Amino acid sequence: FDIIEFDPKTFKILLNYLQTGSCPLTCSNIPGLICAAEHYDLPELLQACFHHAKQFLRIEIVCVMLCALENYCWRYTSASELVNMILAFIETRAYQLFQNPDFLTLSESMVQMIMGRGLEVGEIKKFEAMLEWAKNRIKDRKSSKVDPKVEFKCIMERLSRDLKLHRITPQELIRIVLPSKAIRNEKILETLMYQANSGIYRNVDSYLEAYQKKVQNQESFDCGM
């Protein structure tokens, strides 16, 4: 066996399974085991892992699982399938996910995958989660030659690519999004103009006036840094 492929804990559980025909399954050890089962062609173990995940998946553990699976999903079909299962599970539990501190430990690519799903949560909640994740990433980053303001700008532009700003109320755009300086002022103005012209919301003109007052002498993307 090529034991370099998996961490020692996973390999120890795998050896136990090969010797006894059974092993303890938990949501935290399934990411490694499910890939090991595929790697060594153990269909019964593979099936058992999927069955356990379907039965016991919970929001408190999904971030840990996604972090572990990211190392495998490019190589193993089972890992990709498990990621998709978790993402589908998250769709109806996005608010709880965003409240979980482990959400901040996810990679940017994984956050993008989550935000690209049909989450049953308002766009403003998605924006606030993106903002918190981006700020945490800048705060926890190791030595970098990139200016933190520039890095923050780039992160937010990538994360908010699929954000439907027009679904955020004018009041929230002015009260939450604009002061965050995480979305370009011009983009916020375009959104307010669209909302005014389409009639989605009432009294948008008053928010356009509020926008003009707030953006005076303000630069986008400084995020207080």
Side-chain angles (χ1 to χ4, degrees):
F1 287 152
D2 178 11
I3 63 174
I4 300 175
E5 185 71 29
F6 304 101
D7 64 87
K9 186 176 180 180
T10 296
F11 195 72
K12 184 177 180 180
I13 298 173
L14 182 64
L15 284 177
N16 182 60
Y17 172 79
L18 293 172
Q19 292 170 353
T20 66
S22 64
C23 63
L25 294 179
T26 66
C27 286
S28 57
N29 68 25
I30 278 178
L33 276 178
I34 209 167
C35 298
E38 179 180 336
H39 187 79
Y40 297 117
D41 192 20
L42 301 169
E44 291 183 358
L45 178 58
L46 189 67
Q47 184 178 5
C49 287
F50 273 114
H51 179 73
H52 184 93
K54 289 177 182 178
Q55 195 170 8
F56 296 104
L57 195 61
R58 61 191 192 281
I59 201 68
E60 294 81 9
I61 197 68
V62 294
C63 292
V64 174
M65 295 178 72
L66 288 173
C67 286
L69 285 164
E70 192 159 23
N71 296 324
Y72 298 119
C73 60
W74 62 273
R75 183 168 182 178
Y76 296 105
T77 302
S78 57
S80 297
E81 291 176 356
L82 185 54
V83 167
N84 286 329
M85 181 194 299
I86 294 171
L87 293 178
F89 176 82
I90 285 172
E91 286 184 4
T92 58
R93 302 166 178 84
Y95 182 77
Q96 295 97 306
L97 175 71
F98 297 156
Q99 300 299 309
N100 187 341
D102 287 337
F103 174 74
L104 300 179
T105 68
L106 294 174
S107 69
E108 182 176 335
S109 60
M110 197 60 74
V111 172
Q112 284 180 314
M113 287 178 66
I114 291 171
M115 295 302 179
R117 304 284 295 200
L119 304 180
E120 295 183 12
V121 68
E123 294 297 300
I124 189 61
K125 294 301 180 184
K126 290 169 65 175
F127 169 78
E128 289 175 328
M130 293 174 188
L131 182 64
E132 185 178 4
W133 187 93
K135 286 183 175 180
N136 185 73
R137 178 50 53 96
I138 297 298
K139 183 181 69 174
D140 289 351
R141 70 180 188 152
K142 296 179 180 179
S143 58
S144 173
K145 296 180 180 179
V146 181
D147 186 294
K149 294 180 184 179
V150 175
E151 189 173 356
F152 175 78
K153 166 188 172 181
C154 293
I155 290 173
M156 284 304 300
E157 284 187 338
R158 291 192 297 266
L159 290 181
S160 63
R161 196 170 295 151
D162 296 323
L163 187 67
K164 298 176 178 61
L165 280 178
H166 67 277
R167 293 186 179 177
I168 298 177
T169 67
Q171 182 181 10
E172 290 169 334
L173 284 172
I174 298 300
R175 184 172 57 86
I176 299 174
V177 180
L178 183 60
S180 73
K181 302 177 182 178
I183 302 292
R184 289 187 180 279
N185 290 341
E186 296 79 7
K187 197 169 183 179
I188 295 174
L189 178 59
E190 288 176 6
T191 303
L192 288 169
M193 293 294 292
Y194 172 80
Q195 291 174 335
N197 294 331
S198 63
I200 299 176
Y201 298 99
R202 296 180 179 179
N203 303 320
V204 179
D205 289 344
S206 62
Y207 293 106
L208 283 167
E209 293 177 7
Y211 166 86
Q212 295 293 348
K213 292 179 181 178
K214 285 181 177 288
V215 298
Q216 289 178 354
N217 302 319
Q218 174 185 304
E219 291 184 18
S220 296
F221 295 128
D222 64 10
C223 190
M225 292 184 285

